Amino acid sequence: MAVTVETIEKLERKITLSLPLSSIQTEVDARLKRLARTVKMDGFRPGKVPMSVVSQRYGYSVQYEVLNDKVGEAFAVAANEASLRVAGQPRITEKEGAPEGQVTFDAIFEVFPEVKMGDLAEAEVEKLSAEVTDEAIDKTVDILRKQRRSFAQRPQDAAAQDGDRVTVDFEGKLEGETFQGGKAEDFQFLVGEGQMLKEFEDAVRGMKSGESKTFPLAFPEDYHGKDVAGKTADFLVTLKKIEAAHLPEVNDALAKSLGIADGSIAGLRADIKTNLEREVKFRLLARNKQAVMDALLTKAELDLPNASVQSEIERLLEAARADLKQRGLKDADKAEIPADVFRPQAERRVRLGLVVAELVRANELHAKPEQLKAHIDELAASYEKPEDVVRWYFGDRQRLAEVEAVVIENNVADFVLGKAKVINKAVSFDELMGQG
């Protein structure tokens, strides 16, 4: 087999493959003989179909299969011998004018780029830190109390206020016509908790049971109901019932109801602190890892393989369609989504993937077994039966591969932070939580 390699563009290469026709014909004949032993055709007993008939019926398709296989094998061998790291699938076309007894193909493909890393000591990375304060624990206790609140009807002359649960009838009209979703009876919501648009809450606040009120309500431009977005409707609301919320006391009974082993407030606060610290740790890891990746991209030079970018665009498109389908959009798989919308994101992902892979290879930052185990133990710690969660992760190669990718990213982040100019910045618990 004769092989030549040409550079077409930065990452594009061409290999010319020449194969002897005799080896292809030998394989075609062998496959047709195997096929003749099992093929069934009218007028012949199984295994007794003449070779000439088998060849006439199946010769073309078998020859096509053999050519595909032989060219694929030849390409793999040639790429390996030339130490080429192939990105994506090659485009293979047959050449005319091959020497007698030969068949020749051109395989055009891309290779993965060389990644040139700048001096990481010159990279600047902002590293966040945050602490779980008593105030954060207090807020969590309040959330847990709200989740367990009870309601009792207030007196007839009481006015609705923040924290109350109200039951209302309402009807909204646009130009005198009721619109979809604009009418309801015995509808309940909590005043002051953002469950309704602000103008609706403002109208109900201060009303008493049995009262009715009309008011205009301007729907925001980005309102999810497209028929009313950006329009102003006239609403009639009737308040039927007001219920005051009762929050459970912060005592041992609350702790016990939340499953705290020793049934004490101190135990409850300690449990909350442990959970919040775990959440803070993961959020800081994610935020600081993002800062590291941003810094890495400023220090790396490389060309992007179009094949890899295109594959990533297709993955993102598929994910977008799956999301639309989950949201109930009809024919989501046929939705017209411009591929270029995803190009910047796809290019960033491919660039980052290649840079991280190079750092991992050059600095031996692979995930070690003990790191995998420690990370899975930490993920499992917040569950009721951690050992079951650990088994769940280790019982599936795909899940384990996802954890391995995270651990490798953590190794890369630690490696870069150990070399870069780190700017430490303390943020409040609320700031960190608000960053999503």
Side-chain angles (χ1 to χ4, degrees), residues 13-262:
R13 304 285 184 272
K14 181 168 79 172
I15 286 183
T16 300
L17 307 164
S18 293
L19 303 173
L21 282 169
S22 57
S23 70
I24 293 168
Q25 193 56 52
T26 300
E27 180 63 22
V28 169
D29 291 343
R31 291 193 189 186
L32 285 172
K33 281 178 185 175
R34 286 199 298 272
L35 192 60
R37 294 185 201 129
T38 56
V39 73
K40 294 179 181 178
M41 292 178 70
D42 290 343
F44 299 98
R45 285 183 293 152
K48 299 296 182 182
V49 182
M51 276 301 299
S52 59
V53 177
V54 174
S55 183
Q56 187 178 8
R57 174 72 67 88
Y58 297 103
Y60 179 79
S61 61
V62 169
Q63 188 172 26
Y64 180 78
E65 287 173 10
V66 170
L67 263 178
N68 266 352
D69 291 350
K70 288 285 185 184
V71 172
E73 288 168 14
F75 175 75
V77 170
N80 188 53
E81 283 181 0
S83 300
L84 295 171
R85 294 170 60 232
V86 179
Q89 292 295 319
R91 302 190 308 277
I92 296 175
T93 53
E94 187 174 352
K95 287 183 74 172
E96 292 182 5
E100 192 174 343
Q102 299 277 319
V103 60
T104 307
F105 294 89
D106 281 340
I108 296 174
F109 57 98
E110 287 183 295
V111 294
F112 284 111
E114 178 190 357
V115 179
K116 294 177 183 174
M117 287 301 304
D119 187 358
L120 290 177
E122 294 178 1
E124 286 191 356
V125 182
E126 185 180 76
K127 185 182 180 186
L128 301 186
S129 62
E131 290 185 1
V132 175
T133 60
D134 284 340
E135 184 185 5
I137 296 171
D138 291 341
K139 284 184 179 178
T140 306
V141 170
D142 285 342
I143 290 168
L144 292 170
R145 291 173 71 205
K146 279 185 177 180
Q147 289 172 351
R148 283 157 181 76
R149 62 189 153 191
S150 57
F151 294 91
Q153 189 161 344
R154 298 183 69 192
Q156 190 73 20
D157 59 348
Q161 61 188 34
D162 285 351
D164 286 346
R165 183 170 70 183
V166 295
T167 303
V168 299
D169 292 345
F170 66 80
E171 183 175 11
K173 292 185 178 182
L174 279 171
E175 298 177 357
E177 296 293 326
T178 304
F179 54 89
Q180 188 174 0
K183 183 177 181 179
E185 293 182 357
D186 294 326
F187 182 84
Q188 289 188 332
F189 71 94
L190 290 157
V191 181
E193 299 208 357
Q195 295 176 355
M196 305 294 283
L197 290 173
K198 183 178 182 299
E199 287 149 299
F200 198 105
E201 286 200 339
D202 289 346
V204 171
R205 192 182 290 107
M207 287 178 67
K208 296 178 181 179
S209 294
E211 284 186 353
S212 296
K213 181 188 284 188
T214 57
F215 63 96
L217 191 151
F219 288 97
E221 293 287 348
D222 60 353
Y223 192 68
H224 59 81
K226 300 301 178 192
D227 294 341
V228 297
K231 298 178 182 177
T232 298
D234 294 311
F235 269 82
L236 168 65
V237 63
T238 301
L239 184 54
K240 299 173 82 171
K241 186 164 67 173
I242 304 172
E243 295 169 285
H246 172 71
L247 299 178
E249 296 294 324
V250 180
N251 55 24
D252 291 353
L254 177 65
K256 285 175 184 172
S257 74
L258 291 165
I260 302 304
D262 67 0

Side-chain angles (χ1 to χ4, degrees), residues 3 23 38 66 155 158 173 189 313 323 352 357 369 376 414:
V3 180
S23 70
T38 56
V66 170
K173 292 185 178 182
F189 71 94
I313 287 173
D323 181 56
L352 202 49
I376 289 171
D414 289 342

Side-chain angles (χ1 to χ4, degrees), residues 371-423:
Q371 288 180 312
L372 283 176
K373 179 68 167 64
H375 191 76
I376 289 171
D377 284 345
E378 195 164 20
L379 290 173
S382 61
Y383 291 87
E384 194 174 337
K385 293 183 177 178
E387 63 279 4
D388 289 351
V389 179
V390 171
R391 275 197 296 273
W392 183 78
Y393 273 108
F394 279 105
D396 185 278
R397 289 183 68 120
Q398 179 63 35
R399 288 192 287 264
L400 207 53
E402 288 168 4
V403 174
E404 186 177 12
V406 172
V407 171
I408 288 171
E409 285 179 357
N410 293 346
N411 288 348
V412 169
D414 289 342
F415 176 80
V416 174
L417 288 170
K419 292 185 174 296
K421 294 176 185 173
V422 176
I423 302 163

